[in-house]
Amino acid sequence: NPDTLRTRAAALHLHGLTAHWTEIATADWVAPLLDWEEQERARRSLERRVKAAHIGRFKPLCDFDWNWPKRCDRGSVEALMALDFLGDATNVVLVGPNGVGKSTLAQNIAHQALIQGHTVLFTSAGELLGDLCALDSDSALRRRLRHYASPQLLAIDEVGYLSYSNRHADLMFELISRRYQKTNAMVTTNRPFAEWREIFPNAACVVSLVDRLLHNA
């Protein structure tokens, strides 16, 4: 369909083709050319997003040992892999003791989101909060918060392995608030929420942080 082909060419910003469309609309090389251009741009886009996501190496879900976490809702995890939660700013929280595969599950979900064309950033809580706290100017901090607030899916791994100061807690709350009901957060933690005051001792915002995280999760 020449109209469909022209729409595709315009979407690819191939202005030279569209300017001379009446001359080349029926040429048999147009459709393959558009196919090649779309495939190459998709490949490069995926490469850029994979590099920016920092997911790292991980065990694929097909090799995951479902018998090791003694209590694990496999159906829910597989439903998350369908990525329906990305459509309505739902958060994902994986809670469990050390060594049961929370990070592996989170990495698989994050990678599937990349494959489906979403932007993703995967980081540990320590790296994220250390990065934010190291900034010594308000303008630099605002830019960095925008960096963490912009991906469609932000995965924060290993919340609960370290304790943090009030400033760390405030920055985590600010980041979650910026993403609240707009984009998706995925968190893995080895501590139940009742113990998050031990992760962020004396921080006044802990209850509000948990509320924002769990409101649509």
Side-chain angles (χ1 to χ4, degrees):
N1 186 324
D3 290 338
T4 301
L5 293 177
R6 183 170 186 173
T7 300
R8 289 168 61 191
L12 292 167
H13 304 291
L14 299 177
H15 304 302
L17 286 184
T18 56
H20 296 275
W21 193 253
T22 55
E23 302 167 44
I24 55 93
T26 58
D28 56 7
W29 53 264
V30 173
L33 175 68
L34 296 179
D35 289 340
W36 296 334
E37 189 67 22
E38 288 169 343
Q39 291 165 10
E40 181 61 17
R41 292 193 187 192
R43 184 188 67 79
R44 292 189 179 192
S45 172
L46 179 59
E47 280 186 355
R48 287 194 301 270
R49 286 181 288 106
V50 167
K51 185 176 180 179
H54 300 295
I55 294 176
R57 300 183 65 180
F58 61 93
K59 180 189 296 185
L61 200 61
C62 60
D63 295 331
F64 188 76
D65 183 4
W66 296 101
N67 296 316
W68 167 231
K70 293 183 179 179
R71 294 174 56 201
C72 182
D73 188 342
R74 180 174 180 174
S76 292
V77 172
E78 291 176 340
L80 289 173
M81 289 290 288
L83 304 179
D84 291 341
F85 73 96
L86 290 177
D88 57 4
T90 298
N91 294 328
V92 175
V93 183
L94 302 176
V95 186
N98 300 343
V100 294
K102 299 183 299 298
S103 297
T104 296
L105 294 176
Q107 287 170 308
N108 273 273
I109 294 167
H111 186 259
Q112 183 68 10
L114 282 173
I115 296 297
Q116 295 300 320
H118 300 281
T119 55
V120 175
L121 179 57
F122 195 99
T123 182
S124 70
E127 290 174 347
L128 183 150
L129 294 174
D131 183 24
L132 292 175
C133 272
L135 300 172
D136 55 6
S137 76
D138 289 342
S139 59
L141 178 58
R142 286 195 297 270
R143 286 194 299 271
R144 204 61 181 159
L145 281 168
R146 285 196 297 270
H147 166 74
Y148 286 113
S150 60
Q152 177 65 45
L153 177 61
L154 174 65
I156 306 174
D157 197 24
E158 299 179 343
V159 178
Y161 289 80
L162 300 172
S163 294
Y164 300 99
S165 68
N166 289 357
R167 175 164 167 74
H168 289 106
D170 290 342
L171 289 169
M172 178 71 88
F173 176 71
E174 171 68 18
L175 178 58
I176 294 300
S177 294
R178 287 187 178 216
R179 300 180 60 86
Y180 181 56
Q181 294 187 324
K182 298 175 184 176
T183 48
N184 307 84
M186 179 163 55
V187 171
T188 74
T189 179
N190 64 335
R191 307 286 289 274
F193 288 108
E195 297 178 6
W196 273 40
R197 286 194 178 278
E198 298 174 21
I199 304 172
F200 302 103
N202 305 315
C205 65
V206 174
V207 173
S208 298
L209 169 62
V210 172
D211 284 346
R212 292 284 173 91
L213 193 60
L214 294 184
H215 176 238
N216 188 29

